Amino acid sequence: MTTKAIAGNFFEDFRLGQTIRHATPRTVTAGDQALYTALYGSRFAVQSAESFARAIGYRAAPLDDLLVFHVVFGKTVPDISLNAVANLGYADCRFLKPVHAGETLTATSEVIGLKENSNGKTGTIYVRSRGQNQHGEDVLSFVRWVMVRKRDERAKAPEAHVPELPNSVAAATLASACPPIDGKAWDDGLAGSPHRFGAYKVGEKIDHGDGMTVEEAEHQIATRLYQNTARVHFNQLAEAQGRFGRRLVYGGHVMSLARALSFNGLANAFHIAAINSGRHVAPLFAGGTVFAWSEIVARDELPGRADVGALRILTRATRDVPCASFPTADATAEAPGVILELDYWALIPR
Amino acid sequence: MTTKAIAGNFFEDFRLGQTIRHATPRTVTAGDQALYTALYGSRFAVQSAESFARAIGYRAAPLDDLLVFHVVFGKTVPDISLNAVANLGYADCRFLKPVHAGETLTATSEVIGLKENSNGKTGTIYVRSRGQNQHGEDVLSFVRWVMVRKRDERAKAPEAHVPELPNSVAAATLASACPPIDGKAWDDGLAGSPHRFGAYKVGEKIDHGDGMTVEEAEHQIATRLYQNTARVHFNQLAEAQGRFGRRLVYGGHVMSLARALSFNGLANAFHIAAINSGRHVAPLFAGGTVFAWSEIVARDELPGRADVGALRILTRATRDVPCASFPTADATAEAPGVILELDYWALIPR
Amino acid sequence: MTTKAIAGNFFEDFRLGQTIRHATPRTVTAGDQALYTALYGSRFAVQSAESFARAIGYRAAPLDDLLVFHVVFGKTVPDISLNAVANLGYADCRFLKPVHAGETLTATSEVIGLKENSNGKTGTIYVRSRGQNQHGEDVLSFVRWVMVRKRDERAKAPEAHVPELPNSVAAATLASACPPIDGKAWDDGLAGSPHRFGAYKVGEKIDHGDGMTVEEAEHQIATRLYQNTARVHFNQLAEAQGRFGRRLVYGGHVMSLARALSFNGLANAFHIAAINSGRHVAPLFAGGTVFAWSEIVARDELPGRADVGALRILTRATRDVPCASFPTADATAEAPGVILELDYWALIPR
């Protein structure tokens, strides 16, 4: 018997300021984008069509922003959250450069906060994770915090340090992954909507209408595509004995379902520039049907950019609740309701 | 609350002669072809292998014809059939140019017929849909007719106009998507059959033998790949209250299953040149096992083409009925039987 | 009615020395590799990242070795094992050249052994199957033996001939698919482990830890991707009446699951150079959870190669049994236990 197989880090394995390089580098391809489309049905024109992307100013169609997020996130799992009790939240997530098919992504994380819980059994760690392309350029940066088990409950608590995190990403940094967009070349008919930046008002609510039922094979295929090894998504033998009796759907799968559903009402909001915060309010299991609605919570004109504006959007995804009346009650394992609150900035042509 | 989310067109929204440009443009890639193979197990050599396709005269392996059909069809759904009661049929479907990985497809539809039903609640619309590549060239053209709900039952009926449609596509137009084929370079062993054009007789019946059981995840992954948003395929919460209590499998999924099964008996019939008519006789649900058999209903020598001939094939797909005795009885929601009748022209080397 | 549909070969159809060319040639692409990742969650750096592969000496990232195996194996099924009662074993399987996205694979088999069983109803055939690339170069060679039904029980038994097969592949041939590896460029952090050749000892046992539950849609999608037409994997209507009442998971699917799980403990063992033997000890069905553990059974320094060494690894996969105590009891259709014993050589940097 050896210790070559990795059991993941526990709370006392993390040190403030520690930097972790994650395995495995991953070349993302047209194959990944096709699978992404097949898993979510996403229809945003910029990511769907080379001709559309090039006409408006991209050198090639960028991969879907959340596909990049999931691939980078997946790399962090074996080192950060294999022994996680709960994924508590995300903040300050910025998409910094477009990623195209053929590029290779790697990831690193820095520990920026630590706080042991009063029960002495668990603690919260805060990490800043970065995704880079094969040129070593940052393409994505985000903070997440996770509640992790201690290996040894008697291990001494580290000095508590909770990082200050912005409530939202500052406007100045929102457009770095977006080339100058030729608004005249933007074809509203092909994009699927006549509504550009000027048409959206703060406070506006949009029911995205459709529902998508999730199957075990679908979320497993997605989560493996991202090389995310979190055990709760895959091992029914163990989960049958667990808290819910069932495999949990990866929270990022819900984010992508909600984003794909949001095309109906936000078709021109083509690029996720930043995620201000993400909360997985309640779990999703196979057999659940996901719906989504969005509220426009802010608009920003982005100084220096006459081509695109930014909409701050709060998208709520629900389990087994259509969204015509814009529900806010949280789901439980038994009762339907809201399962995700995703507060993000999207760019949209002016 | 806004009206930015699209609820689809109703019968009274359509006008004779109206042209509709559909979202979303779509670059089809090797990723899509790999998924197509994985979803149906298709084995036709021309679409499966670059080396085979180039040896016989293609500039590159073409994408599977029905993959092109499904992608173009999917684009028309949000505008044409989101409020459809039933997909009544297809006719005059012609594959006009080969589509290769890397090309971008767009779609438009023209309303060529309208007829309100006597109940005043629904009507039938006829559309001619066209798929184009990034050069604006037509790659596919087909007519379909759909029964659509009226938004307002009191809306005045339009003047009825039912287009004349051919029973079958004329031979002269069959080979436009097929380059000259070098029959000497066609390797029967690699293609999987010694039987070329001359070996098939009118009236011949072929049981394709194998059965394929369909899972929910499979048809959902396929239908999303095509960016087809028809709600009946995805939303179990709503369908549980519907006519069948279950999600319906996209009819095109059945077409592709039947075509893939038909390799066993029609391995050299490499290209679907045209679909004369398609009828979804009965629904398919997950858990059903699809079988298929084919009858050769005509042969055509294609004037000017010594390289390939055309077989007119009527393929019937069944649910839960093996086809050794060539069944023709229609399935119902409860009883097994025929679910698809697909009358098409395939090209085959001489 | 015709005989154009193929019913597969029976025992008396095979002749010693006979060579069979298989349909269908297959271009393998980035789409196939993406699906492979999505189906198994494989994380080996060389196959996952172009930048990693090129840094150490490959001209491009090679496709996963078992993906190549499954594609070549799949082609042999319609001719060799469509009427198989059981897939009895593999031996002398050698990976001879790396396969990259864009290459086209074909397959041939030679009958190298025949032995009728004493019951007169079945016989065992031994075939040497070869996979070639579009240049006609061998990329893979393996022997398998299969128990096949007789069409006619009165058919005369052929003279029995059982080929001599090596217990393991000789060291001299192990590295032909592996270019010279630049060990300084090998980044242990990105690869996921500090343990290279010198760190592994004969007799060492590694529990790979994680469990993966298999869904019907997953193994069907995989098996169709490989264009493998064996009926037992797909046709629930027929299998409901069969020995197990359920569809059987393709044995190669188990091999790939076990190999992907083995990353945790064998992350640097990047290339399967040869499979000495493979035994599917018991069947797997959807709903089962697969675990794996490995034992290092030999080490070889590969004369002339200072860059890589070879580990001979015996990986056991189980159904519904975690592997912390290294189980060896075989599963049955009802009881959990070992379902696969895979004895292979992997290359690992020194």
Side-chain angles (χ1 to χ4, degrees):
Chain A
M1 187 177 164
T2 72
T3 58
K4 289 196 177 69
I6 292 164
N9 290 313
F10 291 84
F11 181 67
E12 61 265 46
D13 297 325
F14 295 98
R15 296 284 170 266
L16 195 66
Q18 175 187 8
T19 294
I20 301 168
R21 295 174 71 228
H22 306 295
T24 298
R26 173 83 150 81
T27 302
V28 285
T29 69
D32 298 301
Q33 184 65 37
L35 266 162
Y36 192 86
T37 302
L39 288 163
Y40 305 111
S42 188
R43 289 184 286 150
F44 295 94
V46 172
Q47 288 79 19
S48 183
E50 290 293 336
S51 55
F52 192 97
R54 288 175 182 168
I56 63 166
Y58 279 88
R59 75 163 175 83
L63 295 181
D64 198 282
D65 298 304
L66 291 180
L67 171 56
V68 173
F69 178 85
H70 299 324
V71 167
V72 172
F73 182 97
K75 297 186 187 325
T76 71
V77 168
D79 297 312
I80 303 298
S81 51
L82 214 55
N83 296 304
V85 183
N87 227 331
L88 298 173
Y90 312 99
D92 198 28
C93 174
R94 287 171 281 126
F95 292 86
L96 300 168
K97 282 186 80 77
V99 177
H100 300 99
E103 299 192 326
T104 299
L105 300 177
T106 56
T108 58
S109 296
E110 183 185 356
V111 179
I112 62 169
L114 290 167
K115 185 170 186 300
E116 186 166 305
N117 288 327
S118 54
N119 63 12
K121 297 180 179 176
T122 56
T124 299
I125 62 157
Y126 297 77
V127 293
R128 158 78 61 194
S129 296
R130 285 186 174 81
Q132 296 192 314
N133 64 20
Q134 70 280 9
H135 304 301
E137 299 165 325
D138 282 359
V139 299
L140 174 66
S141 175
F142 64 95
V143 173
R144 70 166 166 142
W145 53 109
V146 188
M147 192 189 304
V148 180
R149 284 189 196 88
K150 291 175 73 176
R151 181 186 287 109
D152 176 359
E153 295 187 12
R154 296 160 305 177
K156 189 166 162 279
E159 193 178 348
H161 179 85
V162 175
E164 281 193 45
L165 295 169
N167 279 328
S168 71
V169 175
T173 66
L174 286 181
S176 80
C178 180
I181 298 298
D182 180 353
K184 292 201 189 89
W186 185 282
D187 183 324
D188 288 336
L190 288 180
S193 169
H195 307 298
R196 297 194 181 190
F197 182 62
Y200 290 87
K201 289 175 185 56
V202 172
E204 188 170 348
K205 295 178 178 178
I206 304 166
D207 169 18
H208 301 305
D210 292 329
M212 184 66 72
T213 304
V214 174
E215 301 294 321
E216 299 282 12
E218 294 172 350
H219 76 85
Q220 292 198 148
I221 286 172
T223 310
R224 284 186 302 242
L225 182 69
Y226 314 139
Q227 297 174 311
N228 177 331
T229 59
R231 293 158 181 165
V232 291
H233 309 314
F234 300 116
N235 183 339
Q236 180 57 32
L237 192 78
E239 294 309 311
Q241 309 303 320
R243 186 172 153 206
F244 301 116
R246 291 171 283 177
R247 282 162 277 177
L248 266 176
V249 174
Y250 163 49
H253 196 68
V254 180
M255 290 165 55
S256 283
L257 284 170
R259 168 71 176 160
L261 291 171
S262 81
F263 178 86
N264 193 3
L266 290 166
N268 282 330
F270 67 101
H271 168 49
I272 298 184
I275 298 174
N276 300 307
S277 73
R279 280 210 320 137
H280 298 296
V281 181
L284 178 67
F285 309 103
T289 301
V290 173
F291 299 82
W293 68 275
S294 296
E295 180 172 356
I296 309 300
V297 293
R299 298 167 82 249
D300 201 308
E301 296 202 357
L302 297 184
R305 295 290 296 246
D307 54 342
V308 291
L311 297 179
R312 185 171 173 184
I313 300 168
L314 176 58
T315 296
R316 283 185 176 85
T318 62
R319 193 189 80 222
D320 295 341
V321 183
C323 292
S325 55
F326 309 115
T328 56
D330 294 352
T332 63
E334 297 77 29
V338 172
I339 56 174
L340 169 73
E341 290 182 354
L342 186 69
D343 173 350
Y344 71 102
W345 284 109
L347 301 195
I348 183 168
R350 296 179 70 167
Chain B
M1 188 178 163
T2 70
T3 56
K4 290 197 175 67
I6 292 163
N9 289 313
F10 290 84
F11 181 68
E12 60 265 46
D13 297 325
F14 296 98
R15 297 281 169 270
L16 195 66
Q18 176 187 9
T19 294
I20 301 169
R21 294 174 71 229
H22 306 295
T24 298
R26 173 84 150 79
T27 303
V28 284
T29 69
D32 298 301
Q33 183 66 34
L35 267 161
Y36 192 86
T37 302
L39 288 163
Y40 305 110
S42 188
R43 290 184 286 150
F44 294 95
V46 172
Q47 289 78 18
S48 183
E50 290 291 337
S51 54
F52 193 97
R54 287 174 183 169
I56 63 166
Y58 279 88
R59 73 163 176 82
L63 295 181
D64 198 282
D65 299 303
L66 291 180
L67 171 55
V68 173
F69 178 84
H70 299 324
V71 168
V72 172
F73 183 95
K75 296 187 187 326
T76 70
V77 167
D79 298 311
I80 303 298
S81 51
L82 215 55
N83 297 304
V85 182
N87 226 331
L88 298 173
Y90 313 99
D92 197 28
C93 173
R94 288 171 281 125
F95 292 86
L96 301 168
K97 282 186 80 77
V99 178
H100 300 98
E103 297 191 329
T104 299
L105 300 177
T106 55
T108 57
S109 295
E110 184 186 355
V111 180
I112 61 169
L114 288 167
K115 186 169 187 300
E116 184 165 307
N117 288 328
S118 54
N119 63 13
K121 297 179 181 178
T122 57
T124 299
I125 63 157
Y126 297 78
V127 294
R128 157 76 63 192
S129 296
R130 286 186 174 79
Q132 296 192 316
N133 63 20
Q134 70 279 11
H135 304 301
E137 299 166 325
D138 283 0
V139 298
L140 174 66
S141 175
F142 63 95
V143 173
R144 70 165 166 143
W145 53 108
V146 187
M147 193 189 302
V148 180
R149 285 191 195 85
K150 291 175 73 175
R151 180 187 287 109
D152 177 359
E153 295 187 11
R154 296 160 305 178
K156 187 165 164 280
E159 191 177 350
H161 180 84
V162 176
E164 282 193 44
L165 294 169
N167 279 329
S168 71
V169 175
T173 66
L174 286 182
S176 79
C178 180
I181 297 297
D182 178 354
K184 291 201 189 88
W186 184 282
D187 184 325
D188 288 335
L190 289 180
S193 168
H195 306 298
R196 297 193 182 191
F197 182 63
Y200 290 88
K201 290 176 184 55
V202 172
E204 189 171 348
K205 295 178 180 179
I206 304 167
D207 170 18
H208 301 305
D210 292 329
M212 184 66 72
T213 304
V214 174
E215 301 294 322
E216 298 281 13
E218 293 172 350
H219 76 85
Q220 292 198 149
I221 286 172
T223 310
R224 285 186 302 242
L225 182 70
Y226 314 137
Q227 297 174 312
N228 177 330
T229 60
R231 292 158 181 166
V232 291
H233 309 314
F234 299 116
N235 183 340
Q236 180 56 33
L237 193 78
E239 294 309 311
Q241 310 303 322
R243 183 172 155 209
F244 301 115
R246 290 172 284 176
R247 283 163 277 177
L248 266 176
V249 174
Y250 163 50
H253 196 67
V254 180
M255 289 164 56
S256 283
L257 285 170
R259 168 71 175 158
L261 292 172
S262 80
F263 177 87
N264 194 3
L266 291 166
N268 282 330
F270 67 101
H271 167 50
I272 299 183
I275 298 174
N276 299 307
S277 72
R279 280 211 319 141
H280 297 296
V281 181
L284 178 67
F285 310 103
T289 301
V290 173
F291 299 82
W293 68 276
S294 294
E295 181 172 356
I296 308 301
V297 293
R299 296 167 83 251
D300 201 308
E301 297 203 355
L302 297 184
R305 295 290 295 246
D307 55 341
V308 292
L311 298 178
R312 185 172 172 184
I313 300 167
L314 175 58
T315 296
R316 284 184 175 86
T318 62
R319 192 187 82 223
D320 295 342
V321 183
C323 293
S325 56
F326 310 115
T328 55
D330 294 354
T332 63
E334 298 77 29
V338 172
I339 57 176
L340 168 72
E341 290 181 354
L342 186 68
D343 173 349
Y344 70 102
W345 284 109
L347 301 195
I348 183 168
R350 296 179 70 167
Chain C
M1 187 176 163
T2 71
T3 56
K4 290 196 176 69
I6 292 165
N9 289 314
F10 291 84
F11 181 68
E12 61 264 47
D13 296 324
F14 296 98
R15 297 282 170 269
L16 194 66
Q18 175 187 10
T19 293
I20 302 169
R21 295 174 71 227
H22 305 295
T24 298
R26 173 83 151 79
T27 302
V28 284
T29 68
D32 298 301
Q33 183 65 35
L35 267 161
Y36 191 86
T37 302
L39 288 163
Y40 306 111
S42 189
R43 290 183 285 150
F44 294 93
V46 172
Q47 288 78 20
S48 183
E50 290 292 338
S51 54
F52 193 97
R54 288 175 181 166
I56 62 166
Y58 280 87
R59 75 162 176 82
L63 295 181
D64 198 283
D65 299 303
L66 290 180
L67 171 55
V68 173
F69 178 85
H70 299 325
V71 167
V72 172
F73 183 96
K75 297 188 185 327
T76 70
V77 167
D79 297 313
I80 303 297
S81 52
L82 214 56
N83 296 304
V85 182
N87 226 331
L88 298 174
Y90 312 100
D92 198 27
C93 173
R94 287 172 281 124
F95 292 86
L96 300 168
K97 282 186 80 79
V99 177
H100 300 98
E103 297 192 328
T104 299
L105 300 177
T106 55
T108 57
S109 296
E110 184 186 355
V111 180
I112 61 169
L114 290 167
K115 185 171 187 300
E116 185 165 306
N117 288 327
S118 54
N119 63 12
K121 297 180 179 176
T122 56
T124 299
I125 61 157
Y126 297 77
V127 294
R128 157 77 63 192
S129 296
R130 285 186 175 80
Q132 296 191 316
N133 63 20
Q134 70 281 8
H135 304 302
E137 299 164 325
D138 282 359
V139 298
L140 174 66
S141 175
F142 64 96
V143 172
R144 70 164 166 143
W145 53 107
V146 188
M147 193 190 302
V148 181
R149 284 189 197 87
K150 291 174 73 174
R151 180 186 288 108
D152 177 358
E153 296 186 12
R154 296 160 305 176
K156 187 165 163 281
E159 192 178 351
H161 179 85
V162 175
E164 281 193 47
L165 295 169
N167 279 328
S168 71
V169 174
T173 65
L174 286 182
S176 80
C178 180
I181 297 298
D182 179 353
K184 292 201 189 90
W186 184 282
D187 184 325
D188 289 336
L190 288 180
S193 169
H195 306 299
R196 297 194 181 191
F197 182 62
Y200 290 88
K201 291 175 183 56
V202 171
E204 189 172 348
K205 295 178 180 179
I206 304 167
D207 169 19
H208 300 305
D210 292 330
M212 184 66 73
T213 305
V214 173
E215 301 294 323
E216 298 283 13
E218 294 172 351
H219 76 84
Q220 292 198 149
I221 286 172
T223 310
R224 284 186 300 242
L225 182 69
Y226 314 137
Q227 297 174 311
N228 177 331
T229 59
R231 293 159 181 165
V232 291
H233 309 313
F234 299 116
N235 182 339
Q236 181 56 34
L237 193 78
E239 294 309 310
Q241 309 304 320
R243 185 174 154 206
F244 301 115
R246 290 171 283 177
R247 284 163 276 178
L248 266 176
V249 174
Y250 162 50
H253 196 68
V254 180
M255 290 165 56
S256 283
L257 285 170
R259 167 71 176 160
L261 292 171
S262 81
F263 177 86
N264 193 3
L266 290 166
N268 281 330
F270 67 100
H271 167 49
I272 298 183
I275 298 175
N276 300 307
S277 72
R279 280 212 318 140
H280 297 296
V281 181
L284 178 67
F285 310 103
T289 301
V290 173
F291 299 82
W293 69 275
S294 295
E295 180 173 356
I296 308 301
V297 293
R299 296 167 83 249
D300 200 310
E301 296 202 356
L302 297 184
R305 293 292 295 247
D307 55 341
V308 292
L311 298 177
R312 184 171 172 185
I313 300 167
L314 175 58
T315 295
R316 284 183 175 86
T318 63
R319 191 187 82 224
D320 295 342
V321 184
C323 292
S325 56
F326 310 116
T328 56
D330 294 353
T332 63
E334 297 77 30
V338 172
I339 57 176
L340 169 72
E341 290 182 354
L342 187 68
D343 174 348
Y344 70 102
W345 284 108
L347 300 196
I348 183 168
R350 297 179 69 168

